[in-house]
Amino acid sequence: MTEEVRRIMLEFADDTGLGGSGQAPRRYLWTDAHAVCNFLGLYRRTGDDGFRHLALELVDQVHHVLGRHRDDDPRSGWISGLDDAEGEAHPTAGGLRIGKDRGERRPDESYDERAEWDRDGQYYHYLTKWMHALSRTSAVCGEAKYCRWAVELAKAAHAGFVTVSPVSGAHRLRWKMSIDLSYPLVASSGHHDPLDGFITYNEIGLCASRDAPDAEMPALGVENADTALMLEGGRWETDDPLGIGGLLFDAGRLLQLAAAGQIADVTLLASLHSAARSSIEVYTARMQPGRPADYRLAFRELGLSIGLHAVTHMQAVLDGKPGLATDSRHGELTALAGYAPLRLEIEEYWREPARQEARSWLDHHDINRVMLATSLLPDEFLAV
């Protein structure tokens, strides 16, 4: 398995401009967050320092590509507006672009839902994935600057994406913002964004206290409090396999944060487990296993398989922390663990070379192969 992941990730590095390949950088924030964790996982697994260097090079390249304005944009420099020296020191202070092929929609352009998927901007749930990647980089490499950049990204994202109702005073997160975070591109709210934010902010808090105890870090108290309020009354069920995987990823991080003493109240865990279980039941009832690869999206299915790996991790956490174990938690995890054959089925389906020739695979080649690698070697991505 390690050798397969090694091959996938080295090919990805060569194809997207890493490791002196000579290719022009091709950066996309979601894919690259997974890739950083994959390189760190390979470094931990093999001891090969080349993978650590690739992870750090990728972080640097993401900041210098997605932290700056596009080549086809009349603006230039860091999207934060900082000068070159300050931007180098604080590359995430203005957020990070998605990395879509087309430029963002201008404020005076009409909204086209289909076209918007192909246009640049900033996604909150991509930014939380990058915060996670930076936190893991800090943990593995022992350099406080990565944790600091995660904190600064959290503050920029929260300030840019949160909007407050003038009537009720309620806070919510917008789905997509402009590159400079000055106006919404999609003003509706992402289903799991407050959950991602709450857990990721706490992960960064653990990163700061555990991995950078001597570095003075800005606190995320306001951000934590805001997202905690947004969770109240939340319903997390979804029929999207990527969304189900995200629920399990968040549940796994929540349990690890509780085990580390970062989060005291884990009552949220029960609703995440319950929502994931009922969501998988709906998803599997609607599955069409015989559908050709051309009519399936690998990265969405692989998101679910990654999440199902988190179930095994949660069981290990409970085994190591008896104080967190309850009959109901064990019961929910046992039920979720019963879907391990589905995880294996997804991985085996997309490992088949013929299916990697399908148009649906090739159209999303980078994200598909990187997420397959994450599912085959998930430990670093699932850690906090």
Side-chain angles (χ1 to χ4, degrees):
M1 206 72 80
T2 303
E3 188 54 40
E4 184 175 354
V5 174
R6 181 189 190 106
R7 175 185 58 77
I8 292 170
M9 293 310 301
L10 289 177
E11 288 176 358
F12 169 79
D14 285 343
D15 292 346
T16 64
L18 294 171
S21 68
Q23 297 291 329
R26 184 170 74 232
R27 303 276 54 97
Y28 190 76
L29 193 58
W30 176 279
T31 304
D32 292 335
H34 283 76
V36 166
C37 294
N38 293 350
F39 286 131
L40 294 173
L42 283 166
Y43 167 60
R44 295 252 220 193
R45 179 66 64 91
T46 67
D48 184 342
D49 201 50
F51 290 116
R52 184 180 68 88
H53 283 297
L54 282 170
L56 298 183
E57 181 186 351
L58 178 51
V59 169
D60 185 65
Q61 201 175 95
V62 163
H63 291 166
H64 281 85
V65 174
L66 301 181
R68 299 174 69 90
H69 285 292
R70 300 165 56 93
D71 291 341
D72 59 2
D73 196 310
R75 299 167 294 185
S76 62
W78 295 95
I79 61 178
S80 60
L82 295 173
D83 63 30
D84 282 346
E86 281 295 294
E88 290 286 345
H90 306 281
T92 61
L96 295 165
R97 294 190 290 109
I98 299 164
K100 297 280 190 180
D101 290 336
R102 294 180 61 190
E104 69 185 346
R105 175 171 53 85
R106 297 191 308 271
D108 59 344
E109 285 186 90
S110 60
Y111 174 71
D112 179 327
E113 182 177 3
R114 182 64 199 90
E116 195 61 51
W117 286 105
D118 300 321
R119 306 194 80 153
D120 217 351
Q122 295 200 40
Y123 282 146
Y124 182 81
H125 64 296
Y126 280 30
L127 299 178
T128 57
K129 285 292 180 292
W130 192 249
M131 294 172 213
H132 172 64
L134 289 173
S135 295
R136 296 314 307 149
T137 305
S138 177
V140 174
C141 300
E143 294 187 51
K145 67 180 181 181
Y146 297 107
C147 187
R148 179 177 299 281
W149 290 342
V151 172
E152 292 176 352
L153 181 55
K155 286 198 165 289
H158 198 80
F161 279 80
V162 170
T163 184
V164 182
S165 167
V167 178
S168 66
H171 292 56
R172 67 177 181 84
L173 289 158
R174 291 170 289 199
W175 173 254
K176 184 180 183 183
M177 293 293 294
S178 64
I179 287 171
D180 63 3
L181 296 175
S182 64
Y183 61 94
L185 293 169
V186 181
S188 58
S189 299
H191 187 189
H192 293 153
D193 282 3
L195 177 64
D196 285 342
F198 175 74
I199 292 174
T200 304
Y201 296 161
N202 275 283
E203 179 184 356
I204 296 169
L206 177 63
C207 174
S209 62
R210 181 190 63 196
D211 306 324
D214 299 325
E216 292 186 7
M217 298 282 179
L220 293 174
V222 170
E223 292 80 4
N224 260 319
D226 283 350
T227 49
L229 285 174
M230 292 183 220
L231 297 180
E232 292 181 3
R235 293 189 60 84
W236 313 113
E237 290 81 3
T238 175
D239 60 1
D240 172 24
L242 182 60
I244 300 168
L247 271 181
L248 292 169
F249 169 63
D250 283 340
R253 289 192 295 160
L254 175 60
L255 191 56
Q256 291 176 79
L257 291 166
Q262 178 66 28
I263 292 179
D265 184 0
V266 291
T267 52
L268 176 62
L269 194 62
S271 63
L272 298 186
H273 285 165
S274 176
R277 185 179 176 185
S278 61
S279 296
I280 294 175
E281 289 171 354
V282 170
Y283 173 71
T284 53
R286 295 176 180 174
M287 278 178 60
Q288 297 174 296
R291 273 192 312 161
D294 276 325
Y295 297 94
R296 298 170 65 163
L297 287 174
F299 68 89
R300 305 200 84 83
E301 296 182 9
L302 289 164
L304 174 56
S305 66
I306 293 166
L308 289 169
H309 277 288
V311 175
T312 304
H313 281 238
M314 284 186 272
Q315 289 176 315
V317 172
L318 290 187
D319 289 343
K321 282 281 185 177
L324 286 173
T326 64
D327 289 344
S328 62
R329 282 177 195 150
H330 275 302
E332 284 289 357
L333 288 176
T334 299
L336 287 165
Y339 289 97
L342 174 59
R343 183 194 77 210
L344 294 170
E345 177 187 325
I346 292 169
E347 290 174 348
E348 290 305 312
Y349 185 91
W350 290 112
R351 290 172 75 188
E352 176 60 45
R355 280 147 190 166
Q356 294 182 12
E357 297 298 323
R359 177 52 52 192
S360 65
W361 178 274
L362 297 174
D363 282 348
H364 307 281
H365 190 206
D366 289 344
I367 193 170
N368 286 338
R369 59 178 163 172
V370 168
M371 289 187 69
L372 175 59
T374 305
S375 193
L376 296 176
L377 191 68
D379 290 358
E380 193 58 47
F381 180 76
L382 296 176
V384 299

